[in-house]
Amino acid sequence: MPTIHLTRCQHLSPFADILNGLGAPTVSLLERFRLPASLEEKSDYYIPILPAIEFAQFASSSQGIEDFGFHAARTLHFGHLSKRTRHLIGHSPTLLVALQQACKWASLEDSNLSNWLEHHDDHVRYCSRLDGTKGLQHLEHSQWLQIAFPIFIIRQFAGSDWAPATIAFEARYTPSRACQSFWTKSHFLSGQEASWIDVPVSLLGLPNRTNETPPDLKSAPVEHPSFGFIQTLKLMLPSYLDERPPVLAEIAEMAGVSARSLQREFSRAGITYSGLLDAVRFDNARKLLRDTDSKIIEVAFASGYADPAHFTRAFRRVAGVTPGQFREQWRPR
């Protein structure tokens, strides 16, 4: 079974923002690694994670940015987590429950991310690892983000000045002086079995500072996204609809298989790649019509239709109504 690991566009945006601030050719750098050039309003869309890591390293080297991952992580905050993750953590009664939720729902951020807690005497380690990347170079760019998010979660309970005593990386990596001077209370380790930070056991019982009444999560369950290969493509392709979607050969390269093997995969699923693209375009348009106030012509372009009239015909062929009629059905009475 071919595999493409995914991350949310939100996690690539800090790198692009830094490049834009430096006047770097951000668009051409993104396109070089077959990543969408327009990241605005795509925070909850998914992109392939391995090209994103390669992009970060190439941009770091070509633009002379030392410790790119560290600088990107500094721009992150709790709001960069997915809405569902923020909801679950924000209503956790204690820090321990919040960290457990972050571990449970890690795949909402990266499809191949595993988080877990390890108990060590008077502290626990919050550990992270991207499955299927062992031995890959320059993982520190991604690992900085993996480390930054639990720190932000803990600060929701322990206060904005909290810092871990130890910050450990799976990558063989030495932080720059600027980084070490920023994290003066933290000791750095590299070449670990996983990335991790230590959290004193005494903090785990801290109550949530939001003072919100926890909802009945059983009555409003959150589902993990499905990461079968076809479902993975359905999650990834919306990021490219307003640009040039990857062709079959590029999808095969991302998955590390031949185009012929990929065609067999589609054949087993009973669909074609062009048919999948059409379905993704329709689903994206339906979501935008239902959940946003974007003009219908904007919905058409955002869903990969160059001609609004073609969009109307294609949408009506599937839905049985025009885009405008569909939206009207969803308006509150």
Side-chain angles (χ1 to χ4, degrees), residues 5-28:
H5 298 305
L6 303 178
T7 186
R8 289 174 58 236
C9 279
Q10 184 77 286
H11 303 331
L12 186 61
S13 293
F15 295 94
D17 290 344
I18 291 172
L19 291 170
N20 287 333
L22 295 174
T26 310
V27 170
S28 62

Side-chain angles (χ1 to χ4, degrees), residues 290-312:
R290 186 184 62 217
D291 299 340
T292 75
D293 293 323
S294 299
K295 296 178 180 178
I296 289 177
I297 189 173
E298 295 171 342
V299 172
F301 293 149
S303 301
Y305 296 92
D307 180 359
H310 177 213
F311 166 57
T312 297

Side-chain angles (χ1 to χ4, degrees), residues 235-305:
L235 286 170
M236 184 187 81
L237 288 173
S239 296
Y240 295 89
L241 292 180
D242 60 345
E243 303 175 22
R244 180 182 72 81
V247 298
L248 185 68
E250 291 169 328
I251 294 292
E253 184 178 354
M254 291 179 189
V257 299
S258 68
R260 181 173 296 181
S261 296
L262 195 56
Q263 287 174 329
R264 286 198 294 268
E265 189 69 30
F266 281 114
S267 179
R268 281 194 290 267
I271 60 174
T272 63
Y273 182 52
S274 61
L276 177 65
L277 263 177
D278 287 341
V280 170
R281 288 191 178 103
F282 174 77
D283 287 343
N284 190 73
R286 182 175 57 180
K287 182 177 185 297
L288 292 175
L289 289 168
R290 186 184 62 217
D291 299 340
T292 75
D293 293 323
S294 299
K295 296 178 180 178
I296 289 177
I297 189 173
E298 295 171 342
V299 172
F301 293 149
S303 301
Y305 296 92

Side-chain angles (χ1 to χ4, degrees), residues 30 34 37 59 72-73 80 86 118-119 132 142 172 179 198 209 259 274 281 284 290 293:
L30 288 165
R34 287 299 297 124
H80 280 95
R86 295 197 312 270
E118 292 181 357
H119 291 266
S142 176
R172 295 197 175 278
C179 170
D198 54 356
R209 293 184 169 207
S274 61
R281 288 191 178 103
N284 190 73
R290 186 184 62 217
D293 293 323

Side-chain angles (χ1 to χ4, degrees), residues 50-325:
L50 295 184
I53 294 172
E54 292 171 356
F55 155 79
Q57 174 55 26
F58 183 84
S60 172
S61 176
S62 64
Q63 302 302 309
I65 307 173
E66 188 178 22
D67 244 339
F68 201 9
F70 157 65
H71 292 294
R74 284 189 62 185
T75 72
L76 294 175
H77 51 76
F78 185 69
H80 280 95
L81 288 165
S82 68
K83 183 177 180 180
R84 287 179 290 182
T85 302
R86 295 197 312 270
H87 175 79
L88 290 164
I89 292 170
H91 291 91
S92 296
T94 65
L95 174 57
L96 175 59
V97 175
L99 295 178
Q100 290 171 335
Q101 292 283 11
C103 292
K104 180 178 180 181
W105 301 101
S107 64
L108 292 177
E109 308 301 325
D110 300 321
S111 66
N112 59 333
L113 178 61
S114 297
N115 291 341
W116 67 95
L117 297 175
E118 292 181 357
H119 291 266
H120 295 265
D121 299 325
D122 62 347
H123 68 277
V124 297
R125 290 180 181 177
Y126 184 97
C127 304
S128 299
R129 181 187 294 130
L130 290 176
D131 298 332
T133 61
K134 191 173 182 62
L136 191 68
Q137 298 295 308
H138 309 300
L139 284 174
E140 64 271 13
H141 302 302
S142 176
Q143 287 168 10
W144 260 119
L145 274 60
Q146 294 165 232
I147 286 167
F149 282 128
I151 291 175
F152 296 139
I153 292 170
I154 295 165
R155 286 176 173 177
Q156 300 296 304
F157 294 79
S160 59
D161 294 331
W162 183 86
T166 304
I167 298 177
F169 289 84
E170 183 182 354
R172 295 197 175 278
Y173 153 75
T174 302
S176 64
R177 287 186 177 181
C179 170
Q180 295 186 45
S181 65
F182 184 83
W183 292 99
T184 56
K185 299 178 182 178
S186 303
H187 172 65
F188 288 93
L189 297 175
S190 71
Q192 303 293 293
E193 287 299 311
S195 300
W196 55 269
I197 60 171
D198 54 356
V199 186
V201 170
S202 59
L203 299 183
L204 298 180
L206 287 175
N208 200 317
R209 293 184 169 207
T210 61
N211 295 319
E212 297 182 23
T213 302
D216 181 5
L217 296 178
K218 292 182 179 180
S219 64
V222 178
E223 295 183 1
H224 278 286
S226 174
F227 292 113
F229 184 68
I230 300 301
Q231 290 301 318
T232 293
L233 291 183
K234 287 182 177 180
L235 286 170
M236 184 187 81
L237 288 173
S239 296
Y240 295 89
L241 292 180
D242 60 345
E243 303 175 22
R244 180 182 72 81
V247 298
L248 185 68
E250 291 169 328
I251 294 292
E253 184 178 354
M254 291 179 189
V257 299
S258 68
R260 181 173 296 181
S261 296
L262 195 56
Q263 287 174 329
R264 286 198 294 268
E265 189 69 30
F266 281 114
S267 179
R268 281 194 290 267
I271 60 174
T272 63
Y273 182 52
S274 61
L276 177 65
L277 263 177
D278 287 341
V280 170
R281 288 191 178 103
F282 174 77
D283 287 343
N284 190 73
R286 182 175 57 180
K287 182 177 185 297
L288 292 175
L289 289 168
R290 186 184 62 217
D291 299 340
T292 75
D293 293 323
S294 299
K295 296 178 180 178
I296 289 177
I297 189 173
E298 295 171 342
V299 172
F301 293 149
S303 301
Y305 296 92
D307 180 359
H310 177 213
F311 166 57
T312 297
R313 291 193 298 270
F315 190 92
R316 185 169 191 167
R317 187 166 56 247
V318 178
V321 293
T322 67
Q325 291 168 335

